[in-house]
Amino acid sequence: MAILKRKVYFKFLFVSGAILIIYRFARLKAVLNNRYDAPPRKEESGIHVITNYPLMTEKPWNESQTDNNRSILWQRQEEIEETLQKNLNHTLVTTVHLLVNQPLAEQRLSEQNFHNKQKIFVHRTNYALPKYRDFFEYINNRLQSQLVVLTNMDIYIGQGFEVVNKTFLVKTNISYALTRHGRQEKRCNMAGKLGYCGVSYFGSHDTYIFVLTQPLDESVLEEFDYDMHVFGGDNRLIWILRNRMKKKLLNPCEYLKTYHNHCIDIHGSVRPRINRNGNKGDVVKPSGLYE
């Protein structure tokens, strides 16, 4: 009987140990799977960049480009990842929040050996091209009272951001809508292009800097329910910031430098214009930081 009891006891210990190991493994896997998906702590300071991260060779991105040659798409992918790395390298950037709409993109992101990778937070979105609503819902839920820099996936921030004063933006209700610059990139020289800051201005914007101090209601979020990369999408966003969010808008692009990294000559093939005939479209001409 004593021998039987010992056998039962050791069998119990073995099963309990196995269950504990399985539980710990499952817990570890869950933590690893979500290690980029935790919201930032409220006390975090610095700049929160928010953009999207695609895998250009996979649906839906490879279906909506002017060239679907896989080699070209991979070159564009590398360009986007070089841009991401530059944002991660910026000393003032606390976190880079990435909206991801493809499981394979999330897998690739986890496998890349980015420097400062600990700054990345991933947010999974629906299997569709990103809408501005996706970004503003995320900001509404997770980044209230933070200094947010919302930008396109091929834009990185450069010089001048040390002068951005979060307290000033809150007190004056000012937001910045920046026009991009260009410079020598790995594959081409992006400097001097039409529409760039300091070259010519015709209403193009890529980067928006603001602090959301109050939650956005559903009626405002509905205004953002359009694809990010359509023509006039930036002008519609400016209209919403000014008329629905009641922001005072400035464009100090000569002081806050952002750079466009788009040497590979492919673009979205379906880009209707949404601000024709003055339909909820607006611009912000280059200005100073405070007026």
Side-chain angles (χ1 to χ4, degrees), residues 165-178:
N165 187 319
K166 177 182 172 182
T167 302
F168 168 78
L169 295 181
V170 171
K171 286 185 176 179
T172 59
N173 200 33
I174 283 175
S175 294
Y176 297 142
L178 301 180

Side-chain angles (χ1 to χ4, degrees), residues 3 5 17 70 74 77 104 142 163 176 195 204 213 224 226 230 277 282:
I3 294 174
K5 286 183 178 180
R70 193 169 179 84
W74 271 119
Q77 183 71 32
L104 288 176
R142 296 195 172 195
V163 303
Y176 297 142
S204 179
T213 56
F224 292 115
Y226 62 91
V230 296
N277 302 320
D282 213 338

Side-chain angles (χ1 to χ4, degrees), residues 12-22:
F12 172 77
L13 288 179
F14 176 79
V15 172
S16 300
I19 292 173
L20 182 60
I21 290 170
I22 292 170

